[in-house]
Every structure is written in C-alpha cells, then in structure tokens.
Amino acid sequence: EATGTRITVIDLEGIVLIDTSEDPAVMENHASRPEIHLARETGEASNSVRQSRTLGHDRMYMAVPVVSGGRAVGIVRTSLPLIEVEESRARLRVHVATGGVLAAALALLMAFFFSRRFSARIGEMTKTAEAIAAGDYRAGRKDRGRDELATLAGAVDRMSDQLRERMDTLVRERNELRAILGSMLEGVVAVDREERIFHLNRIAAEILSTRAEDAIGGRIWEIARIQPLAETIAGVLEDETGHTREARITDGSRDRILELIASPLRDIRGDLVGAVLVLHDVTELRRLELIRRDFVVNVSHELKTPLTAIRGFVETLIDDPEIDRETAAGFLGRVNDQVLRLSTLVTDLLVLSRVESEGEALERRPVDLRGILRECAGRLSPESRGRDIEFVLELPKGDVTILGDDESLRQVVDNLLDNALKYTPDGGRVDLRLLRAGDEVAIEVEDTGIGIDGRHVDRIFERFYRVDKARSRELGGTGLGLSIVKHITNAHGGRVAVVSETGRGSTFRVSLPAHEVRD
Ligand code: ADP
C-alpha cells in the first residue's frame, strides 16, 4: 500500500491465491495473462504493459516465478498503474532537464570565465613572443599561474633569457672582432661567393677610396676598380686556395704599392662561403728597400773608384821596377790621395750610420754654440787652407745655448763651412753667423760661390747626391756631408734650409730650438 503497488500471488495453474486489490475468489484464471504465461514458460522474470481487465486502466506488470526446492511453485506479480510511472518519468525528465540546463549554464559560465582568462594570458604571451621576435628580450615575465599555460610562459621566458644571453655574447664578440679588424694597420675585405662585400674595415675603405656603408653589398669589382684585386679574389673563389700578389694603384696624385693576400673563407663544415682579402700598403717598405739597394750600390761604387785607382798605381809600381824615383813619388802621392779619400768616405759613412741609428737618442746637454762656431772657424778658416777668401765670423753677445750633442753640432758646422769653402772660388767671401730668432737659434753659412741650380736644391740632402760628381770628387767630397747635416739637425728637433742662386752663391741655414739665451 505504501508503494502504491498491487501485488498478486498466483499458483502454477493460474489460480489467484492472494491479491492486494481484489478478492481472489472473484478473480478469473490468470494463466493467459502475457507476463504470467511468459514467466511460466521461461522460468524468468517477465513484464508487460497492457490494460488491466480487472481494474480497467493501463498498468505495467512484472511477474517473477517463485522457486522452492529447485522448482517453480508459483508466481508473484506486481503491477503499477502506468500513469504513476509516466508521472514519475515526467518528474524525472523535469529534474534531468533542469539539472542539464543548470549544468550547461554553469559550464558555459565557467568556460566563458576560463576562456577569458586564457585568451588574456595567451594574448599576453603572444605580445611577449612578438616583443622577443622584435628583439626585446626583457619582455614577458608576468604569468605566475600554475597550469600548462604558465609552464609554457615559463619556457618562453627561459627561452628569451637564453636568447638574450646568446645575443649579448654574439654582440660582444662581433664588437670585439670589429674593434680588432678596425684597428688593424692592414685593410681587410671579406666577400661572399658572388664577390659581394660583406665586411670592409677602415683602412680598406681608405685604400679603396670608398666608405663602408657604400661598399657593403656591392660587388668587389664595382667598388674597387683595381684589376689585380678583382683577379685575385676571383682566383681564390675559383681554385679555393690562397693567392698573393702585388699591385700598383694610383689614387689621386700618388702611386701606392699594395700587397694583396687573399684566402678562401670557409664555414664550420669547411664549405667555401667567400674570400677574405688583406691589403697591405708596402709603398714605404718598397721605397726603403730601394733606398737601401741604391745605398749599397752607391757605397760599393764610391769605394771601388779609389780602390781601382790605387790598384792601378800599385800594379804599375810593381810591374816596373826600373821606374824613376820622381814618377814613383808622384804615383805614391796619388795613392795617398785615394787612401785619404777612402778614409774620409769611411769616416763619413760611420758618422752617418751613427747619426741614423742614434737619431732621437743623441745625447742632449746644454751646449754653447758660440764656442763651437769659434772652434770650427779656427780650424777651417780659409787662411788655414791657404785660400784667398774673405771670411767673416759674426757672433751675438752672450751665450747662445741649445740642448744637444756638441760633437754632432761641430760636425754640422764643419760640413757646411767645408762645402762653402769648397764651392767658392778664390776671391770670394764666406760668412759664418749665429743668430737668435724668437725661441730658435740659427747657424747661417753664406758664400759667394758657384751656387746650386733650382733643380738640385731639393735633392742635395740625399745621400751621395752631387750636382757635379767630378767636381765634388776632385774637391775631396763624398756626397754625404749634407745628409749628415740634415740627420743631425732633425735629431735635434731643428730643420735645415738653403737659398741659392747659380753663380752668385748659397746660404745654408740650420734652425734649432733654443734652450737658454742670456745676454
Ligand atoms: P759633397 O761631399 O759632394 O760636398 P755634400 O752632401 O756636402 O756632398 O753636398 C752635396 C752636393 O751639394 C755637393 O756635391 C754640391 O754639388 C752641392 N753643394 C753643397 N754645398 C754647396 C755650396 N755651398 N755651394 C754650391 N754647391 C753646394
């Protein structure tokens, strides 16, 4: 009754024994009822939905066989009006529907909330990634959650940290490399396989008369119109080995000699990616080599001339024992002259080499130039040489002191005075003066001699340069006197100048920085 369920107990013949709704006595045999029939036949619980013949409305029946001692003894049947079932099903549907709608709404709400949060965070991460891509490695670092997205954000952060470190290292290394290449004295040009320049240091830009920003990206042969240079690069790219050669280039007014050293440029795997060219300006080096070669040739020649003469005289003397004393004496006198000449030459060479090697390291002590001039004038005066030349020595009052090496300064005055006397014919005049001009002092040697043609004036200070070789030799000159003067003057921080007119005379002026000038 409490469950609202009708219960009927039926025996195997279909006779109703108990029924909760009707009196069994008035109830017909139930053997034909479908559920009962099925339960009897199969021995299993069976159900059916149909109209009750007893109660007259739709009900649901369930018949279960009752088993005792291993065999069926009867059937218990339950029945519920279908209305109730429908009602409870409808109720259930309402519950399920409400629950479903509620759950869906809740899910939607949560999805909305989470997706809002997620899309905000993903948006944030996208921004971070874009900032990193744009080179800002300090972006991000906001997501502090604990889910997968936070893990991803953490990974992005770490990646950006590592990228920053690597970029910093790369930038530092690149700057170091640039600084090293930039401060090299050689020009460095790097090209790719298509001969396009991708690096050019300052010196290279200077040599190729271009600017790095204009040259980068251009083909080497467009930027530097120097045939040998383009050929060298092309050669390296073709046979993948180093090439070296020299090239003469003319930029503006001057010629330059460049040593071109080109090597293949390879990547880590060893594949050819271009070529690197080192440009070494060897103009000065080649000039010095030439000077040295010339010098050696000149020295040998200068030594050989007197030696040949000496040999000639000596051989004649040896070959002809009958030679008369007078001729022999004459020959010996000539030998003596040549020996003196050799000795002067060797002395001058030694002085020159000493001045050249000591250079700036010359001893510097206060020297009174008046004393030196007086001393030299005394030794080299025309009278002492038996010449008919008027000689005037002009000295200022008081000390004229400079910082220098007295021995070398004596050499300067000796050489200038010696030249003036050598190149001034009898009847002429030589003036030796000491002057003060501001913070400089000047030694001036003026003569009324043969003078020097304008074409030669610039060259007379070169070693072995003489306007008239034969005349200089005849007068006992070595061609080294003025280069010694120039070297010593330069080593004292001074300069030497000459004003001359052919046939009228020359004035040599040596200017030196004054040390202390007292009246
Ligand atoms: P040298 O031993 O031949 O005199 P120097 O070096 O002293 O060598 O001089 C170089 C050349 O300069 C001389 O050969 C000469 O032609 C010229 N020269 C030097 N001094 C004078 C001068 N006072 N007058 C004319 N020519 C001079």
Side-chain angles (χ1 to χ4, degrees), residues 49-66:
V49 175
R50 59 185 169 82
Q51 204 178 38
S52 163
R53 266 184 247 163
T54 321
L55 297 173
H57 59 255
D58 275 353
R59 297 185 72 96
M60 184 189 210
Y61 296 92
M62 175 66 128
V64 179
V66 179

Side-chain angles (χ1 to χ4, degrees), residues 295 350-360 463 483 487:
F295 182 69
L350 285 174
V351 172
L352 191 64
S353 126
R354 181 177 68 91
V355 195
E356 272 187 355
S357 58
E358 285 179 9
E360 301 284 313
R463 291 177 292 198
S483 60
H487 264 100

Side-chain angles (χ1 to χ4, degrees), residues 68-86:
S68 173
R71 66 190 181 96
V73 288
I75 288 162
V76 174
R77 188 188 72 170
T78 58
S79 107
L80 264 177
L82 217 51
I83 275 204
E84 270 182 32
V85 175
E86 286 300 327

Side-chain angles (χ1 to χ4, degrees), residues 229-245:
L229 195 144
E231 281 171 10
T232 314
I233 295 261
V236 170
L237 291 176
E238 198 182 309
D239 54 27
E240 302 193 13
T241 56
H243 283 235
T244 306
R245 68 184 282 185

Side-chain angles (χ1 to χ4, degrees), residues 238-258:
E238 198 182 309
D239 54 27
E240 302 193 13
T241 56
H243 283 235
T244 306
R245 68 184 282 185
E246 261 184 33
R248 185 178 287 271
I249 61 165
T250 313
D251 72 49
S253 53
R254 68 193 189 114
D255 265 8
R256 288 215 233 191
I257 304 169
L258 293 182

Side-chain angles (χ1 to χ4, degrees), residues 415-416 419-420 422-423 447 450-452 460 462 465-468 472 476-483 506 508:
N415 288 6
L416 291 177
N419 278 352
K422 261 194 319 202
Y423 300 107
D447 65 51
I450 58 167
I452 304 155
I460 52 172
E462 290 173 18
Y465 192 85
R466 294 130 156 166
V467 176
D468 181 341
S472 157
T478 58
L480 294 174
L482 286 181
S483 60
S506 322
F508 285 82

Side-chain angles (χ1 to χ4, degrees), residues 262-318:
S263 340
L265 203 60
R266 298 183 191 280
D267 62 11
I268 342 170
R269 282 172 307 182
D271 294 339
L272 185 79
V273 290
V276 62
L277 175 74
V278 176
L279 303 163
H280 190 194
D281 189 340
V282 289
T283 319
E284 187 59 14
L285 205 70
R286 295 289 175 267
R287 193 182 69 85
L288 291 176
E289 274 173 14
L290 192 71
I291 290 179
R292 205 199 48 181
R293 264 203 309 274
D294 283 355
F295 182 69
V296 173
V297 170
N298 281 327
V299 169
S300 321
H301 184 73
E302 293 296 327
L303 289 172
K304 206 165 171 216
T305 318
L307 279 174
T308 315
I310 293 170
R311 230 176 98 188
F313 294 127
V314 172
E315 274 172 7
T316 316
L317 286 172
I318 292 171

Side-chain angles (χ1 to χ4, degrees), residues 3-11 14-22 24 27-40 44-57 59-66 74-81:
T3 59
T5 309
R6 175 185 172 196
I7 299 170
T8 316
V9 179
I10 304 148
D11 72 5
I15 296 163
V16 177
L17 304 177
I18 301 164
D19 189 87
T20 50
S21 301
E22 285 293 327
M27 288 172 75
E28 61 188 57
N29 190 296
H30 270 50
S32 60
R33 298 287 196 276
E35 70 280 358
I36 306 285
H37 178 74
L38 219 71
R40 268 178 50 195
E44 281 177 18
S46 309
N47 62 356
S48 78
V49 175
R50 59 185 169 82
Q51 204 178 38
S52 163
R53 266 184 247 163
T54 321
L55 297 173
H57 59 255
R59 297 185 72 96
M60 184 189 210
Y61 296 92
M62 175 66 128
V64 179
V66 179
I75 288 162
V76 174
R77 188 188 72 170
T78 58
S79 107
L80 264 177

